[in-house]
Amino acid sequence: MSSTKSPAKASNPKLSCASHHIIGDFDAKVVTAEPGQHDHARSSLFKSFDESVSSGLGRLQRLPLELLSSICLLLDLQSALNFNQASRSARETIGSIPQYHRLREHSLECIWALFRTGLSHHTSISDLHAALLTELCVICGSFGGFLFLPSATRCCFACIESAPDFRIISFHSLQKESRRLATWLKRSHPVIHSIPGSYSSREKEYTSRRKLVSGHHALQFPRADHDEDPRAILGKLPDSPVLRCMAACRLPYFNLATGDLQLGISCKGSQIAMEANFSDANFSRRERLYSRDGFMRHLWDCVEAKELWASSEGGMVEVTEPEFTRRGGL
Ligand SMILES: [Zn+2]
Ligand SMILES: [Zn+2]
């Protein structure tokens, strides 16, 4: 399986000398589990038992397997887990569906994040699988190495922090401004329960859990004639990159045709540019991820990366690089 191969150590010397993974840096900015936290789930979630002892599926047994599989893909994550635990036959059915297999292999971080944030009831297996197979950010079209959890949408880090569609607001602020009862709001909106950790580019650990709502969902709640326009309510509330990052996690891209898995790579040249001239534009460049093919195209336009390539004499000589990239973004 090619999933664990680091592109930075791939056979292409241009990739090796001018690009790198900054996984550690991004892991400190979005929802991230502790290392090893998914080991048990990886070996058991949505997987058949080795010994097959069928206990039957009741009336569902009469359905053709194709139809049963299609129904299972429409389940939300929580319902899928409940069905999976209902019987050995249910577990075997789930374990035989390729989409479930791919999600267990490549999306455990997102599955864990969706359960922990309370969004597992609101995310269908088919939507999550579609996001896994989507390469580009749905907003800007650049390589998207992330999932926006409330809508299971593939996105890039820049759009998480700035796109209007990915706005996240405090539940209590929404309640205060809309003058709605908390119980009514909870019934009308998927509530996100943040996970303690560090987020965005802030050097701070957020230790308590907060209730959040996506701006997209806040705009959709039903209202009476005398209610204030939800857009006006949103306009009064602060737009925080920290809250936005509490509703996003890393998601690799799985290429169904080739079986290739990509986390996205960063350009060392953009780190050099940012250290030489710290500006918003250069910071955005530094945060951008590329697919391997996308990076080879980028190399033609990136002055600093081309200089790195030239001074490495075609990848044959070790070059001095920024400490940040040398440490792998940690
Ligand atoms: Zn984007
Ligand atoms: Zn570059």
Side-chain angles (χ1 to χ4, degrees):
M1 190 176 69
S2 60
S3 62
T4 54
K5 189 162 116 181
S6 165
K9 291 176 181 153
S11 55
N12 189 325
K14 283 187 180 178
L15 281 177
S16 302
C17 89
S19 72
H20 68 124
H21 267 135
I22 55 173
I23 296 169
D25 189 47
F26 279 125
D27 282 351
K29 294 177 175 178
V30 294
V31 175
T32 308
E34 295 294 323
Q37 193 159 353
H38 305 315
D39 288 352
H40 175 67
R42 195 178 300 284
S43 61
S44 60
L45 184 70
F46 301 144
K47 198 172 185 180
S48 311
F49 291 120
D50 290 338
E51 296 170 21
S52 178
V53 181
S54 181
S55 52
L57 283 171
R59 289 181 182 177
L60 290 175
Q61 195 95 36
R62 297 178 199 161
L63 296 175
L65 185 58
E66 293 77 17
L67 183 56
L68 193 54
S69 297
S70 299
I71 293 170
C72 287
L73 292 175
L74 295 175
L75 295 175
D76 63 66
L77 259 177
Q78 184 62 57
S79 302
L81 188 66
N82 294 345
F83 180 63
N84 185 65
Q85 292 172 339
S87 69
R88 274 181 177 266
S89 294
R91 196 179 176 101
E92 279 171 23
T93 302
I94 293 279
S96 69
I97 301 173
Q99 287 88 340
Y100 277 87
H101 172 80
R102 285 183 210 113
L103 289 177
R104 183 185 69 244
E105 287 295 307
H106 309 306
S107 312
L108 270 186
E109 186 94 2
C110 292
I111 292 172
W112 172 83
L114 287 161
F115 275 107
R116 286 275 283 148
T117 54
L119 293 169
S120 57
H121 274 300
H122 305 281
T123 310
S124 75
I125 292 293
S126 58
D127 284 350
L128 187 56
H129 184 258
L132 175 67
L133 303 190
T134 300
E135 178 181 356
L136 305 178
C137 170
V138 297
I139 302 291
C140 71
S142 63
F143 182 85
F146 298 84
L147 183 78
F148 181 65
L149 296 166
S151 55
T153 306
R154 168 72 71 178
C155 57
C156 72
F157 189 72
C159 288
I160 291 170
E161 288 206 311
S162 61
D165 287 13
F166 298 150
R167 191 157 168 213
I168 295 291
I169 52 180
S170 151
F171 179 87
H172 293 298
S173 300
L174 178 65
Q175 185 195 356
K176 199 171 157 195
E177 281 299 332
S178 64
R179 298 195 206 102
R180 290 282 192 171
L181 291 173
T183 47
W184 185 89
L185 279 176
K186 282 178 187 168
R187 276 202 308 272
S188 310
H189 301 72
V191 178
I192 306 157
H193 297 265
S194 73
I195 301 169
S198 58
Y199 291 99
S200 188
S201 300
R202 308 293 186 276
E203 302 274 325
K204 181 181 172 185
E205 193 76 9
Y206 294 84
T207 53
S208 60
R209 301 191 76 178
R210 303 179 62 173
K211 290 195 187 81
L212 309 169
V213 176
S214 85
H216 177 71
H217 288 138
L219 289 173
Q220 292 177 335
F221 71 76
R223 63 189 180 108
D225 289 343
H226 61 272
D227 284 342
E228 190 175 0
D229 186 338
R231 288 178 198 284
I233 294 173
L234 277 188
K236 297 176 190 172
L237 302 177
D239 189 353
S240 158
V242 170
L243 298 191
R244 285 166 172 261
C245 288
M246 287 175 172
C249 70
R250 295 292 302 265
L251 178 65
Y253 158 58
F254 183 73
N255 185 321
L256 196 56
T258 64
D260 189 26
L261 191 79
Q262 296 198 45
L263 289 165
I265 52 178
S266 303
C267 177
K268 288 181 183 175
S270 63
Q271 177 69 26
I272 292 170
M274 193 189 75
E275 291 183 7
N277 174 24
F278 190 90
S279 64
D280 286 348
N282 280 341
F283 186 72
S284 296
R285 272 181 68 191
R286 203 287 297 259
E287 299 289 83
R288 182 161 181 182
L289 292 176
Y290 301 89
S291 66
R292 288 192 281 278
D293 288 345
F295 182 75
M296 297 311 290
R297 291 191 292 275
H298 166 75
L299 203 51
W300 289 102
D301 300 323
C302 182
V303 174
E304 294 84 1
K306 274 196 289 194
E307 283 174 2
L308 265 181
W309 170 243
S311 58
S312 75
E313 298 178 17
M316 301 302 289
V317 178
E318 205 162 309
V319 293
T320 305
E321 61 181 274
E323 182 65 12
F324 179 80
T325 64
R326 198 186 61 74
R327 287 187 284 109
L330 294 171

